[in-house]
Amino acid sequence: MEAQKIGYGDVEQAARRITSRIRETAVAHADGPLWFALEFMQHTGSFKARGALNLLLAHREAGTLPPAGVAIASGGNAGMACAWAAGLFGVPATVFVPETAPKVKVERLRGYGADVRQVGAEYADALGACQEFTAESGALASHAYDDPLIAAGAGTLVDEIRARVPRLDTIVISAGGGGLFTGIATAADHHGLRTVVVEPENCRALNAALEAGRPVDVTVDSVAADALGARRASRLALDTARTTRSDSLLVTDLEIIDARRRLWERYRLAVEHSAATAYAGLPHFDDGSGTVAVVLCGANTDPSDLA
């Protein structure tokens, strides 16, 4: 099977489309060679705004944005980004989320004007319902991660981080289905950088795909499953992992919970468990990685348990 890939040119094109409408990521020095990319400060509280905006702008340019608007299945963050971007252009957004989606995310979705439909126990159930809806309604089918335009939008983070972090060597991210990873690894590899992708050990879609040599279904059971709960990684992510300087790591839920608390106690950064997953991976690779930037990718969480 021919490899599925995006190129750095796709990321550059995405940047040209979206730069005037997004917030350039803030970067903070943590300790020694460690830096944080504070992407949880992005519109809608996560990096997902980048891909959603790139998708809708590309379709608007091509004249393929239908009157029925756009529909997406999401654990919450991608849906919020989709609804926000759709609102910029005055088109309807229908968002399918699992019944287990955190209340804070469902409420924010409705606040962005989305028609929210809760279906099933996990992301895969919401995705099936969304596919049925788009087939019947004619709405544009967006995807939380498995789309070249979504991935290219996420990849725009890399040049913003490089511009702010001197002598950058490694970018650390978390992964669900692999959209963020695909974009980041593509752009990072173009600049000779390494990408480390971290997943919960019980939400390991990309890690399992690398192990099996093809995308496979995995168990979804983690404290970070609301954002990282893809049952299967995209072929796009798998092929990107095979052809770029990237490494895959797994962490436990206890490590994720501890990392999230340490981010609060040490740096006063309140992030969701998916963002803390990337930080939890730091002890698992050697200190010879040079200057490291950890992408803290989302803040749509209830911080009351951090007090």
Side-chain angles (χ1 to χ4, degrees):
M1 182 182 295
E2 185 178 350
Q4 296 183 27
K5 291 185 66 178
I6 63 170
Y8 181 64
D10 298 304
V11 177
E12 289 183 304
Q13 187 174 32
R16 285 192 291 270
R17 286 194 186 106
I18 72 175
T19 294
S20 64
R21 296 176 184 264
I22 59 154
R23 297 171 180 154
E24 290 193 13
T25 196
V27 174
H29 183 229
D31 303 289
L34 177 63
W35 295 72
F36 293 133
L38 309 180
E39 187 61 5
F40 62 85
M41 296 173 66
Q42 188 55 258
H43 292 292
T44 75
S46 86
F47 74 95
K48 296 282 190 178
R50 296 172 181 269
L53 191 55
N54 189 43
L55 176 83
L56 290 186
L57 281 170
H59 279 278
R60 193 172 74 153
E61 290 170 8
T64 53
L65 194 56
V70 61
I72 188 170
S74 168
N77 286 348
M80 277 184 272
C82 180
W84 167 77
L88 295 179
F89 307 120
V91 298
T94 306
V95 181
F96 293 80
V97 298
E99 293 172 356
T100 53
K103 183 179 178 182
V104 64
K105 293 188 177 183
V106 173
E107 289 176 349
R108 291 200 69 197
L109 275 166
R110 293 189 172 123
Y112 285 116
D115 176 2
V116 183
R117 306 190 184 189
Q118 293 186 261
V119 180
E122 60 182 77
Y123 168 77
D125 300 320
L127 178 60
C130 183
Q131 290 169 336
E132 290 179 12
F133 175 80
T134 54
E136 294 170 0
S137 68
L140 172 66
S142 181
H143 198 284
Y145 57 87
D146 193 7
D147 186 295
L149 291 166
I150 295 291
T156 59
L157 260 169
V158 172
D159 282 343
E160 294 177 22
I161 297 170
R162 286 183 68 245
R164 293 163 175 77
V165 179
R167 298 178 296 279
L168 179 64
D169 297 293
T170 300
I171 299 179
V172 184
I173 59 172
S174 56
L180 176 63
F181 166 76
T182 298
I184 292 286
T186 296
D189 192 68
H190 173 81
H191 294 296
L193 308 178
R194 172 193 183 200
T195 303
V196 176
V197 56
V198 188
E199 297 171 274
E201 63 180 10
N202 290 324
C203 277
R204 53 182 291 263
L206 181 55
N207 181 271
L210 284 165
E211 186 178 274
R214 58 186 174 83
V216 293
D217 286 347
V218 297
T219 301
V220 174
D221 182 18
S222 169
V223 69
D226 63 303
L228 306 182
R231 189 185 293 174
R232 175 180 287 229
S234 69
R235 181 79 201 189
L236 193 60
L238 173 59
D239 289 343
T240 300
R242 287 170 160 170
T243 55
T244 58
R245 294 181 60 202
S246 55
D247 296 285
S248 171
L249 297 176
L250 299 177
V251 293
T252 67
D253 271 11
L254 286 177
E255 288 175 303
I256 294 168
I257 292 166
D258 179 64
R260 180 170 175 263
R261 185 166 295 280
R262 282 189 288 115
L263 283 167
W264 171 248
E265 292 178 347
R266 188 175 300 176
Y267 304 105
R268 279 301 185 257
L269 297 174
V271 300
E272 57 190 88
H273 288 99
S274 61
T277 298
Y279 184 56
L282 286 181
H284 291 268
F285 58 94
D286 61 46
D287 293 333
S289 298
T291 302
V292 175
V294 176
V295 177
L296 300 178
C297 58
N300 294 306
T301 185
D302 181 352
S304 62
D305 60 346
L306 292 171

